[in-house]
Amino acid sequence: MIELCRTVERKGLNPFDVDVKSLLTRLRRMLEEARYVEDIVMDAETLYRIALLIAFQGRWLRDKASALFIDHQLVAVKLAMADNESLAQAFLRSWRPIVRLEQLTAYKARLGMEHFLNLPSINREKSKLPSPREISVSEIEEMMRAGLLEKAWFEEKLKEVHAELLDQARRGQVDYWQFIAGEDLEESVARAYAVSFLVTNGKVDLRVDPLADKKTLVVLDETEDRGETRSLAVAIDEEILREKKRERQSGENSREG
Amino acid sequence: MKIVEMLNSRLQPIGMQVKVVFEQPQRDDKIGEEDLERARFYITLAHPLSLSDVVGSGWRIDEVAALAAVISYVSSRGGKAPVNDVREMLQTKFPRWKAEAAIERFTRRGYLHISEDDVIYVGWRTRAEVDQRELLKALMEIVPTESEESTAASEDVSGGER
């Protein structure tokens, strides 16, 4: 009886072909005669399978209703009699091919992130990568002497960028890309780095409009509540920077003219 | 959902639409946040293709016919059917080698899914691309032609030779 119920469900056969009433009568008789626990457990399993079969009957009726109660044998006959072109035409009526095959859901993206965060950290010794701890104080001093690292530079840069932003904000909204675009990539990265610190300190807010694909910088009062905050990664796009630089230059030229 | 509607309004003029496929079949008025989070979103064509479009995009008529046959058959059996039954049904129209190749190809492309116990299910791509109810309706409206049996027989012969 268990195997019968399983087969009907697994193969999608008509569940109404099974006489549930007679199955239950047989099961009742078997249950009355059962003497051992194993038999009773088996009877319980059978009852569970019959219950699943009844649930399948309900589902089968719903499926049939959604398929307009068209029997599969009728479909098979129709298919055998129709020519390929008519079948293709019928299919085209119901077919809307997808434009691209790439797909990602928010759920899958989160699973991916969890997987990434659970990956073991890199073994620096094995892969012969220098450890950050290996940089000594003397090396830092050496880098400062060589002009690669400047202690005061960053604080000054931060103040300078903040002042510039305050000035531009008085004239209206400040476009993020327009603001960070410097004379070269190095300067643009430095400005973006400074802006990120101003945002973290709460002096500036970076507002993103995903629909218009626009990022705007807003100077905040110290008393202003920022509301809900979140992290945002912005990849430096050289193409956008070049475009913004061109826009700025053409604006300056037209003002001079 | 508002974003989907906005995207739809942009896509409609260029003949495309967003198709939302839920993990479980939904009633439109009962869509919850969690359903949407687990749903898949596809951009599909908004209007039917013509036969010449399909042929132009690399499909053969008999390949489309085989896909129509398999999907409508599996769909009429509640979304699943044993591989052997599907193969037998296809062999009423195509030679054996062609029927087997078609099942294999449609599975690879995501239109079908074959479980370990050799049962064919409707695949994710069918759920995204095909209105199964409309397909069955269209199939029932086909007026049979007389020349089909002879076509199948002649193809069977050519299949046997291969």
Side-chain angles (χ1 to χ4, degrees):
Chain A
M1 280 194 277
I2 290 172
E3 198 45 46
L4 172 72
C5 296
R6 273 189 185 148
T7 308
V8 168
E9 198 184 349
R10 198 174 58 233
K11 297 198 169 178
L13 304 172
N14 183 354
F16 290 96
D17 285 344
V18 180
D19 187 353
V20 174
K21 202 173 169 184
S22 77
L23 282 187
L24 286 171
T25 313
R26 270 173 63 197
L27 181 65
R28 188 191 181 115
R29 205 169 50 240
M30 286 159 73
L31 193 59
E32 282 167 358
E33 289 167 7
R35 288 183 185 174
Y36 303 105
V37 177
E38 289 80 10
D39 293 341
I40 295 171
V41 169
M42 188 64 92
D43 291 342
E45 163 83 11
T46 314
L47 187 62
Y48 171 67
R49 287 286 155 196
I50 294 174
L52 285 183
L53 181 77
I54 295 168
F56 179 50
Q57 286 183 336
R59 214 165 54 238
W60 192 84
L61 273 181
R62 267 200 308 279
D63 289 342
K64 280 279 162 194
S66 65
L68 308 171
F69 277 95
I70 298 168
D71 187 67
H72 73 271
Q73 283 166 341
L74 176 63
V75 170
V77 172
K78 273 277 184 188
L79 290 172
M81 292 174 79
D83 63 288
N84 285 349
E85 197 171 327
S86 310
L87 273 179
Q89 291 281 13
F91 187 64
L92 294 186
R93 260 174 62 177
S94 62
W95 191 34
R96 305 287 181 277
I98 50 181
V99 178
R100 283 190 75 133
L101 281 175
E102 288 161 14
Q103 50 175 316
L104 183 68
T105 60
Y107 173 70
K108 288 280 177 191
R110 209 163 39 239
L111 278 184
M113 192 180 80
E114 277 168 20
H115 169 75
F116 179 76
L117 294 176
N118 284 329
L119 285 175
S121 52
I122 191 164
N123 186 340
R124 288 179 174 273
E125 277 178 28
K126 201 174 173 186
S127 50
K128 292 179 182 168
L129 284 171
S131 163
R133 279 171 298 178
E134 285 170 16
I135 301 172
S136 63
V137 177
S138 60
E139 280 171 319
I140 293 174
E141 283 170 358
E142 200 174 312
M143 283 162 78
M144 284 170 74
R145 274 199 300 277
L148 295 171
L149 206 64
E150 221 173 308
K151 199 179 173 186
W153 175 87
F154 189 65
E155 283 171 14
E156 273 174 28
K157 186 77 184 170
L158 217 54
K159 279 181 193 163
E160 185 191 311
V161 169
H162 190 218
E164 199 181 324
L165 194 55
L166 273 170
D167 182 46
Q168 288 197 24
R170 272 194 282 273
R171 282 179 267 150
Q173 282 196 332
V174 183
D175 180 79
Y176 173 77
W177 291 108
Q178 189 86 54
F179 183 76
I180 67 158
E183 285 306 310
D184 51 31
L185 181 65
E186 198 179 325
E187 196 193 332
S188 301
V189 171
R191 286 170 75 85
Y193 191 53
V195 166
S196 76
F197 266 82
L198 292 173
V199 172
T200 308
N201 291 346
K203 290 180 175 168
V204 175
D205 193 13
L206 175 59
R207 292 183 184 163
V208 182
D209 180 356
L211 295 178
D213 193 21
K214 203 170 175 199
K215 294 181 180 65
T216 317
L217 291 169
V218 178
V219 179
L220 297 174
D221 288 339
E222 282 182 14
T223 53
E224 200 171 333
D225 182 19
R226 300 180 75 189
E228 195 183 330
T229 57
R230 64 191 173 92
S231 299
L232 179 73
V234 182
I236 299 293
D237 188 329
E238 281 190 77
E239 187 56 43
I240 297 178
L241 289 173
R242 273 197 291 272
E243 194 185 309
K244 294 291 175 186
K245 195 177 158 189
R246 273 199 299 274
E247 275 176 25
R248 195 174 55 207
Q249 279 168 350
S250 65
E252 281 167 7
N253 291 342
S254 63
R255 271 200 299 278
E256 281 169 15
Chain B
M1 207 60 191
K2 269 185 186 167
I3 293 172
V4 173
E5 282 162 18
M6 281 176 75
L7 183 58
N8 245 337
S9 65
R10 295 277 182 103
L11 290 172
Q12 286 285 354
I14 50 172
M16 290 188 254
Q17 64 183 5
V18 180
K19 175 81 190 264
V20 187
V21 179
F22 296 98
E23 273 199 344
Q24 300 291 328
Q26 300 288 316
R27 275 174 53 192
D28 284 348
D29 53 339
K30 298 250 177 177
I31 297 169
E33 266 307 305
E34 203 178 318
D35 298 322
L36 278 173
E37 195 159 289
R38 285 171 171 264
R40 285 164 194 267
F41 300 86
Y42 302 95
I43 295 180
T44 69
L45 297 186
H47 308 289
L49 292 166
S50 67
L51 258 189
S52 53
D53 289 337
V54 174
V55 174
S57 59
W59 285 80
R60 287 161 49 106
I61 300 279
D62 57 351
E63 202 181 4
V64 181
L67 183 58
V70 175
I71 292 176
S72 52
Y73 184 74
V74 174
S75 184
S76 70
R77 290 186 64 155
K80 60 180 177 180
V83 175
N84 281 340
D85 290 6
V86 177
R87 198 180 290 133
E88 272 173 31
M89 179 279 297
L90 270 183
Q91 280 175 35
T92 62
K93 296 198 67 63
F94 304 100
R96 188 186 167 87
W97 66 269
K98 218 173 196 177
E100 281 178 357
I103 292 174
E104 196 269 324
R105 196 164 49 247
F106 299 148
T107 307
R108 209 174 51 238
R109 289 183 184 176
Y111 287 105
L112 305 174
H113 169 74
I114 302 181
S115 66
E116 282 175 4
D117 51 353
D118 278 348
V119 176
I120 290 186
Y121 292 81
V122 160
W124 66 268
R125 203 163 165 190
T126 299
R127 294 203 289 143
E129 295 185 355
V130 184
D131 181 343
Q132 295 170 56
R133 211 178 145 105
E134 179 64 32
L135 175 62
L136 287 174
K137 223 165 100 184
L139 183 71
M140 289 300 120
E141 286 170 16
I142 293 176
V143 181
T145 54
E146 288 174 5
S147 59
E148 181 54 28
E149 277 186 27
S150 57
T151 316
S154 67
E155 280 197 49
D156 214 353
V157 171
S158 65
E161 283 169 359
R162 288 166 75 99

